[in-house]
Amino acid sequence: MLRLFFGLFLVMTVGLVLALQTVEHTFDALLDYQQRDYNREAVRGQAWTLTQQLRELDGPARENQLQSIRPHYGLGLTLVDAGQLNLTDEEKTELADGLLVIRDKYSQYISAIDGGPQLLSIRLPAEPSLMPFYIVAAYLMIAVVIGIVLFFWVRPHWRDLEKLRLAAERFGGNDLSSRIQLSKRSNIRDLAEHFNLMAARIEGLIANQRELTNAVSHELRTPIARLSFELDQLKQQPDASQNRELIADMYADLGELEEMVSELLTYASLERGATVIKRENIQAANWLDSVVGSVALEAEAAGVQLLIGDCRLDTVRIEPRFMARAVINLLRNAIRYAEQRVEVTLERNGEYYEVRVNDDGPGVPLDGREKIFEPFSRLDASRDRRTGGFGLGLALVRRVSQSHGGQVEVGESAWGGASFRMTWAHLD
């Protein structure tokens, strides 16, 4: 706190002194003519009286007269020769016009007596000898007042900043639940709230990362264990035809691993925001046909009829690669659980696009309709691991929709199965 206090105190004190000096010198320069006129008028009467008394006298008599009246005026009165003063042209003009010449910051006034070379110099009394001390004392009093005000202003700020520092220190020490609570009157309340949001976001990301790491480790064990078992069997298998079956199974396991890694990399890229979504205007019908064509063989092999419903759009604005991946995942999910048919539609409602995938399968229970969009999440009822998949497909769909400014939800289709609805905004 002391470091903050003294730093601000020094800056404010020096700034105030410089500001006062700047203002003083600036207004002195701007108001010089007004000041000169004011002071000339203030002294003009005394100067006129003195010159009237001296005008009719000669040189020595003037000096004697001046000595006799000097004690009664309290002014520095002297007779001077014009040649000793090095008068400027402007000052000579002022004397010729009957004006007083002002010098030494309005402390000396020179007046003509009778138009001759001898002039009267009038000097005001000197300032008290303690005046510099008073000026220094005044500045010190100002500094003390500034220090007192600044102390009471800095103290709550320092207290709140110290709370923020301690919270950041605890957070850096792996206390991810560390948060800061400040009064509504605190000037750094917004900063504290941003810190809390950042801490919550980081805590969530780290928790998701841990869950994701654990889930990936768990998911990798099964195909790796199968590959290890198949390799052992391959070593002990003398029949070449059976070798081919084992090799085919191994290729299937490798394909499963490759698909899972691809899904995981895509999901992670969208999760951390490393992928820039660049939308394009795509021919809607052609794009949807190509997406459906990508899973047509899978539907045929599963004995599922794959239908394209309404698609009345000319163009659709999307990032084609990621959006195609999302729709394909929805279609594969529907094919996996459908009994006979799957339908996909693409529409636009106002400023939003909508892709809907319906199937006639067992549907999704109400308590699992949010859970299925979490990574590596499967339901224990109708949609479980025996049907295949890694639990990343629908999580990837949600990330793609969010990256497009939309969302995805699941309900019940008209056929009694699941109805997945993905929407996103149309942005120029």
Side-chain angles (χ1 to χ4, degrees):
M1 176 181 175
L2 290 178
R3 184 176 181 182
L4 174 63
F5 171 77
F6 283 119
L8 289 174
F9 175 76
L10 182 62
V11 170
M12 291 188 65
T13 304
V14 173
L16 179 61
V17 171
L18 292 177
L20 291 175
Q21 292 296 320
T22 301
V23 170
E24 179 181 354
H25 287 84
T26 300
F27 277 90
D28 282 347
L30 293 176
L31 303 177
D32 180 62
Y33 285 105
Q34 290 86 339
Q35 288 286 344
R36 293 172 73 87
D37 290 342
Y38 170 80
N39 284 277
R40 183 179 285 119
E41 288 298 311
V43 180
R44 183 166 64 91
Q46 299 180 67
W48 183 83
T49 301
L50 290 170
T51 55
Q52 287 297 318
Q53 296 181 34
L54 300 175
R55 182 168 296 164
E56 301 300 329
L57 303 175
D58 57 9
R62 287 180 179 178
E63 183 62 36
N64 294 333
Q65 178 68 14
L66 205 58
Q67 289 181 2
S68 65
I69 64 176
R70 186 180 291 127
H72 305 289
Y73 271 85
L75 300 173
L77 304 177
T78 57
L79 296 172
V80 294
D81 189 86
Q84 300 174 353
L85 295 178
N86 297 322
L87 296 172
T88 64
D89 293 338
E90 181 181 358
E91 291 173 337
K92 292 177 181 179
T93 302
E94 290 175 346
L95 290 175
D97 294 339
L99 299 176
L100 294 175
V101 172
I102 301 176
R103 286 186 172 184
D104 297 338
K105 297 181 179 180
Y106 318 115
S107 64
Q108 182 183 15
Y109 300 84
I110 301 172
S111 173
I113 298 176
D114 54 3
Q118 194 174 49
L119 305 175
L120 174 63
S121 171
I122 304 173
R123 188 174 292 273
L124 298 181
E127 292 184 353
S129 59
L130 293 179
M131 186 59 70
F133 171 79
Y134 292 147
I135 294 175
V136 172
Y139 277 109
L140 288 177
M141 291 177 63
I142 293 174
V144 170
V145 173
I146 291 175
I148 294 173
V149 173
L150 190 61
F151 175 81
F152 286 102
W153 183 82
V154 166
R155 189 172 183 276
H157 287 76
W158 173 83
R159 180 190 59 210
D160 294 342
L161 289 172
E162 185 67 10
K163 289 181 180 179
L164 183 61
R165 184 190 67 81
L166 292 174
E169 185 176 341
R170 291 193 302 269
F171 190 83
N174 207 29
D175 180 8
L176 301 183
S177 62
S178 176
R179 300 293 185 272
I180 179 173
Q181 300 296 330
L182 296 180
S183 168
K184 293 182 179 180
R185 298 187 300 272
S186 174
N187 289 330
I188 65 168
R189 180 177 173 82
D190 290 341
L191 177 61
E193 290 179 352
H194 284 296
F195 172 83
N196 291 338
L197 291 174
M198 177 198 70
R201 175 64 174 165
I202 293 176
E203 184 181 18
L205 289 175
I206 292 177
N208 290 338
Q209 186 70 22
R210 289 172 179 170
E211 293 176 2
L212 196 62
T213 302
N214 293 334
V216 169
S217 301
H218 176 76
E219 293 292 335
L220 288 174
R221 286 195 188 102
T222 301
I224 290 176
R226 288 202 302 263
L227 280 171
S228 179
F229 175 76
E230 289 160 355
L231 285 172
D232 291 339
Q233 292 294 314
L234 190 62
K235 292 179 182 178
Q236 302 172 10
Q237 187 59 254
D239 189 350
S241 62
Q242 294 182 355
N243 287 350
R244 285 193 293 272
E245 294 178 3
L246 286 173
I247 291 173
D249 290 340
M250 292 172 66
Y251 274 117
D253 290 333
L254 287 173
E256 183 179 341
L257 282 172
E258 183 179 1
E259 183 180 355
M260 183 176 69
V261 169
S262 177
E263 293 273 325
L264 181 61
L265 290 176
T266 303
Y267 177 82
S269 176
L270 291 171
E271 173 72 15
R272 66 174 183 267
T275 301
V276 178
I277 302 298
K278 295 182 179 180
R279 301 193 185 192
E280 304 175 17
N281 289 320
I282 305 296
Q283 292 294 327
N286 294 339
W287 175 79
L288 189 59
D289 285 340
S290 66
V291 170
V292 172
S294 301
V295 295
L297 293 178
E298 298 178 31
E300 184 179 351
V304 174
Q305 184 181 11
L306 188 56
L307 305 173
I308 297 179
D310 291 337
C311 182
R312 302 175 184 176
L313 300 178
D314 293 329
T315 60
V316 60
R317 187 166 181 79
I318 55 174
E319 201 290 325
R321 183 169 63 92
F322 285 115
M323 188 58 72
R325 185 68 172 271
V327 177
I328 287 173
N329 284 356
L330 287 177
L331 291 173
R332 284 177 174 169
N333 180 76
I335 292 169
R336 188 177 298 131
Y337 301 107
E339 296 291 339
Q340 295 181 346
R341 55 183 174 174
V342 171
E343 182 185 57
V344 57
T345 61
L346 173 60
E347 300 177 350
R348 179 175 177 179
N349 295 322
E351 294 299 317
Y352 286 87
Y353 295 109
E354 176 184 307
V355 167
R356 189 183 293 270
V357 177
N358 300 316
D359 66 58
D360 59 353
V364 181
L366 286 175
D367 57 353
R369 290 182 178 179
E370 180 62 28
K371 182 180 178 182
I372 59 174
F373 295 107
E374 298 176 3
F376 296 105
S377 176
R378 299 183 183 83
L379 302 183
D380 296 329
S382 60
R383 297 176 181 244
D384 57 23
R385 179 166 183 166
R386 292 173 297 174
T387 58
F390 312 106
L392 272 175
L394 294 180
L396 181 60
V397 171
R398 182 168 66 176
R399 288 303 176 198
V400 171
S401 65
Q402 290 175 344
S403 68
H404 280 69
Q407 61 181 358
V408 61
E409 57 187 9
V410 60
E412 185 176 343
S413 72
W415 305 327
S419 176
F420 285 86
R421 177 175 173 267
M422 181 172 63
T423 61
W424 66 95
H426 171 80
L427 299 177
D428 295 330

